[in-house]
């Protein structure tokens, strides 16, 4: 039996798909990349932006003919998108060829759901917020692994649907996390990324996130530690000290600002000002001079006008992010921002978006060019996606580097002299 899994969205969704693969492997499934050759097709969905939802519905609709030709084929949808009642109901009514639907809280019940789906349509959308340990996981081969340390979010940003589809914050017990990472290291993994919707608000059994990081760094054989995603309001002095002190913690921080206007930030319910955000950036650069920053920015939030957008550009110039992930505002059903009237027209939003990208591309290229001639420590991750004759890895600061090396060096940290830079990628030579 062959299974096809397509994943949309964030690293947490990717981690959920690793659990789906783990459970399916235990059930005797192998995996394929072509949905038309699959006995089972699963779409693990994202609800953060409308575009992802439309792609899922389009792909599901396209399978109707395939289901007609092969009635025994099972089709399922899971993930954040399915925790929205209106979309789950649309699937129930309009997509009759879909056999099962389940949300983020039912992941551990997947084998039971799959068994039932062989006899009847299944919609499991209960909001059980229990953390279940021991779910099988099938990851990509070493050296990189993702390890969820908490689930859910308590922030309720005005634009965000995550607290409604992922539930309130729940943190895993520290010993369960450490046990999992120790086993990963024993299996040959060299770098772990700790995952959470708001990772630095982790707390369990009296252990804070900085304390957990410290314990993770004590694990022998583990070379690198990363974490995403951090919320600016929860960046503590203790966390900054740990980042600076622990050599295993990669000196890169993804710190979403979302907007540069204090008014818009307040309307978003972000809990900080632009001045406070920039003070965090400054403090981190003072403590960790080599640190790199990436960020998220929303353009065209309903209450943002052109002058407030200019404040976002001002933050970009001052913060000098290495890269940003930016999107035009997409209203999410059930969030406070859903019914806010936009100040700007769609044309103005798109013009501002392009203006911001032009500025950020200039900053990113200048920062990338500064690496030329330097020697960087790079963890070799595998073959380059664009040219399999070359290998690819990342610096401590999360810069992608392309270079020649043997496959037997995957998982090693090597010194690479940077010889060329594009906006997003560095190229170099391994120093022997």
């Amino acid at each position: 039996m062959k299974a096809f899994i397509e994943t949309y969205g964030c690293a947490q969704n990717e981690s959920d798909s690793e659990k789906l693969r783990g459970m399916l492997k235990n059930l005797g499934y192998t995996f394929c990349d072509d949905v038309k050759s699959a006995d089972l097709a699963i779409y693990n969905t994202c609800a953060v932006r409308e575009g992802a939802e439309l792609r899922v519905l389009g792909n599901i609709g396209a399978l109707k003919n395939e289901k007609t030709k092969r009635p025994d084929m099972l089709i399922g949808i899971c993930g954040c998108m399915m925790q929205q009642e209106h979309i789950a109901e649309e699937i129930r009514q309009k997509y009759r060829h879909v056999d099962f639907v389940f949300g983020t809280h039912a992941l551990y019940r997947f084998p039971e759901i799959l068994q039932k789906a062989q006899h009847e349509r299944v919609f499991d959308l209960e909001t059980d917020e229990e953390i279940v340990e021991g779910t099988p996981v099938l990851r990509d081969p070493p050296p990189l692994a993702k390890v969820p340390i908490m689930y859910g979010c308590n922030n309720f940003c005005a634009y965000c649907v995550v607290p409604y589809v992922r539930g309130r914050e729940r943190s895993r017990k520290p010993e369960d996390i450490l046990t999992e990472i120790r086993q990963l290291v024993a299996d040959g993994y060299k770098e772990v990324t700790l995952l959470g919707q708001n990772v630095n608000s982790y707390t369990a059994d009296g252990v804070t996130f900085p304390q957990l990081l410290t314990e993770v760094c004590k694990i022998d054989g583990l070379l690198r530690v990363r974490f995403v995603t951090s919320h600016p309001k929860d960046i503590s002095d203790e966390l900054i000290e740990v980042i600076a002190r622990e050599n295993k913690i990669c000196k890169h921080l993804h710190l979403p600002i979302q907007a540069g206007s204090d008014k818009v930030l307040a309307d978003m319910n972000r809990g900080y000002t632009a001045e406070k955000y920039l003070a965090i950036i400054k403090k981190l650069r003072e403590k960790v001079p080599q640190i790199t920053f990436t960020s998220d920015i929303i353009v065209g939030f309903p209450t943002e006008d052109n002058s407030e957008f200019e404040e976002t550009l001002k933050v970009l110039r001052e913060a000098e992010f290495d890269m940003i992930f930016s999107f035009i505002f997409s209203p999410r059903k059930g969030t406070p921002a859903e019914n806010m009237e936009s100040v700007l027209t769609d044309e103005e939003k798109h013009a501002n978006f392009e203006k911001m990208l032009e500025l950020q591309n200039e900053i990113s290229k200048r920062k990338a060019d500064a690496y030329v001639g330097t020697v960087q420590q790079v963890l070799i991750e595998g073959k380059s996606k664009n040219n399999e004759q070359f290998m690819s890895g990342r610096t401590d600061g999360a810069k992608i580097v392309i270079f020649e090396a043997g496959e037997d060096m995957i998982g090693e940290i090597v010194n690479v002299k940077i010889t060329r830079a594009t906006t997003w990628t560095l190229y170099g030579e391994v120093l022997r």
Side-chain angles (χ1 to χ4, degrees):
M1 297 182 292
K2 295 182 180 179
F4 169 89
I5 300 176
E6 185 155 295
T7 308
Y8 299 79
C10 66
Q12 186 67 67
N13 279 28
E14 294 170 0
S15 176
D16 288 348
S17 287
E18 290 177 343
K19 292 179 181 177
L20 287 172
R21 286 197 291 268
M23 288 182 276
L24 285 168
K25 181 182 178 182
N26 284 3
L27 292 171
Y29 281 84
T30 58
F31 301 93
C32 63
D33 296 323
D34 181 7
V35 68
K36 292 186 177 181
S37 65
D39 303 292
L40 168 66
I42 302 175
Y43 291 84
N44 186 4
T45 63
C46 173
V48 172
R49 288 179 295 279
E50 184 180 20
E53 293 182 353
L54 294 176
R55 286 197 299 275
V56 170
L57 294 176
N59 288 333
I60 290 294
L63 284 180
K64 187 174 182 179
N65 289 337
E66 194 67 26
K67 179 73 170 180
T68 301
K69 289 187 289 185
R70 297 192 291 134
D72 290 340
M73 178 187 189
L74 290 176
I75 301 172
I77 317 178
C78 64
C80 296
M81 189 173 157
M82 294 302 100
Q83 290 291 162
Q84 300 176 98
E85 291 183 9
H86 67 288
I87 294 185
E89 188 59 28
E90 181 178 358
I91 298 297
R92 190 192 301 271
Q93 299 297 332
K94 296 182 181 180
Y95 297 80
R96 303 290 301 176
H97 58 290
V98 173
D99 298 289
F100 61 94
V101 167
F102 63 97
T104 58
H105 304 275
L107 184 65
Y108 71 95
R109 294 196 293 271
F110 170 63
E112 175 187 348
I113 292 167
L114 185 60
Q115 184 180 31
K116 288 182 179 179
Q118 296 176 31
H119 309 288
E120 59 182 299
R121 291 186 90 197
V122 180
F123 281 73
D124 188 336
L125 303 174
E126 295 181 21
T127 55
D128 178 3
E129 296 193 349
E130 180 183 2
I131 292 180
V132 177
E133 297 289 349
T135 303
V137 180
L138 181 58
R139 294 178 167 91
D140 289 336
L144 310 180
K146 295 180 287 289
V147 178
I149 66 169
M150 62 180 298
Y151 304 93
C153 182
N154 292 345
N155 290 315
F156 290 93
C157 299
Y159 53 81
C160 187
V161 74
V162 168
Y164 306 98
V165 298
R166 286 278 179 183
R168 303 297 81 76
E169 289 180 359
R170 296 99 64 204
S171 295
R172 295 177 63 193
K173 294 181 178 180
E175 193 50 46
D176 290 333
I177 297 167
L178 295 171
T179 298
E180 181 175 355
I181 296 173
R182 291 187 191 107
Q183 185 58 54
L184 286 170
V185 172
D187 292 339
Y189 291 87
K190 304 296 184 180
E191 176 183 305
V192 296
T193 299
L194 308 181
L195 301 181
Q197 259 73 39
N198 183 18
V199 70
N200 43 357
S201 65
Y202 170 92
T203 178
D205 294 346
V207 175
T208 65
F209 183 57
Q211 291 168 341
L212 177 67
L213 277 176
T214 300
E215 292 304 310
V216 170
C217 289
K218 293 177 182 178
I219 297 175
D220 291 337
L222 182 63
L223 301 183
R224 285 183 170 180
V225 181
R226 301 185 189 272
F227 55 90
V228 289
T229 294
S230 294
H231 195 295
K233 71 178 180 59
D234 294 314
I235 297 288
S236 64
D237 288 344
E238 182 187 9
L239 177 57
I240 292 173
E241 291 295 335
V242 171
I243 294 171
R245 183 183 71 236
E246 297 292 347
N247 291 331
K248 290 183 180 181
I249 297 177
C250 291
K251 303 310 185 268
H252 162 251
L253 188 64
H254 183 69
L255 194 63
I257 186 170
Q258 305 298 6
S261 159
D262 289 348
K263 177 184 177 299
V264 174
L265 287 170
D267 292 342
M268 288 179 167
N269 191 36
R270 288 293 288 171
Y272 54 85
T273 62
E275 181 181 14
K276 182 177 179 181
Y277 180 94
L278 290 169
I280 295 169
I281 296 282
K282 181 180 179 182
K283 183 180 291 187
L284 276 158
R285 282 187 169 137
E286 288 172 350
K287 293 282 187 179
V288 192
Q290 73 273 35
I291 196 167
T292 62
F293 291 98
T294 53
S295 192
D296 295 341
I297 294 178
I298 296 172
V299 173
F301 186 77
T303 63
E304 180 181 78
D305 62 22
N306 283 322
S307 64
E308 287 156 349
F309 169 73
E310 289 295 327
E311 294 183 57
T312 296
L313 298 185
K314 182 180 177 182
V315 168
L316 258 63
R317 294 186 186 100
E318 187 165 345
E320 291 201 312
F321 300 116
D322 290 74
M323 181 190 296
I324 61 170
F325 300 87
S326 54
F327 311 95
I328 295 175
F329 171 76
S330 175
R332 303 287 77 208
K333 189 175 182 62
T335 63
E338 178 193 5
N339 297 315
M340 292 181 181
E341 291 190 17
S342 287
V343 174
L344 301 178
T345 64
D346 287 346
E347 290 77 12
E348 287 174 308
K349 292 177 184 178
H350 281 86
N352 286 346
F353 184 75
E354 293 302 321
K355 186 176 181 180
M356 182 188 64
L357 290 186
E358 183 179 358
L359 171 60
Q360 181 57 48
N361 286 347
E362 292 174 2
I363 295 170
S364 296
K365 182 60 166 68
R366 174 166 47 79
K367 293 180 79 71
D369 285 343
Y371 283 86
V372 175
T374 67
V375 176
Q376 299 293 317
Q377 289 195 320
V378 178
L379 175 64
I380 302 179
E381 298 176 5
K383 292 181 179 180
S384 168
K385 293 180 180 178
N386 297 323
N387 188 339
E388 291 195 351
Q389 293 182 354
F390 293 87
M391 303 301 282
S392 175
R394 284 181 297 169
T395 68
D396 185 77
K399 295 286 189 180
I400 296 173
V401 186
I402 307 298
F403 48 91
E404 289 187 22
E407 287 186 54
D408 59 332
M409 297 175 70
I410 291 175
E412 292 184 22
I413 293 180
V414 296
N415 290 321
V416 179
K417 184 175 182 179
I418 306 303
T419 57
R420 182 167 68 91
T422 63
T423 304
W424 314 119
T425 308
L426 305 178
Y427 297 83
E429 300 172 349
V430 176
L431 299 181
R432 305 292 180 177

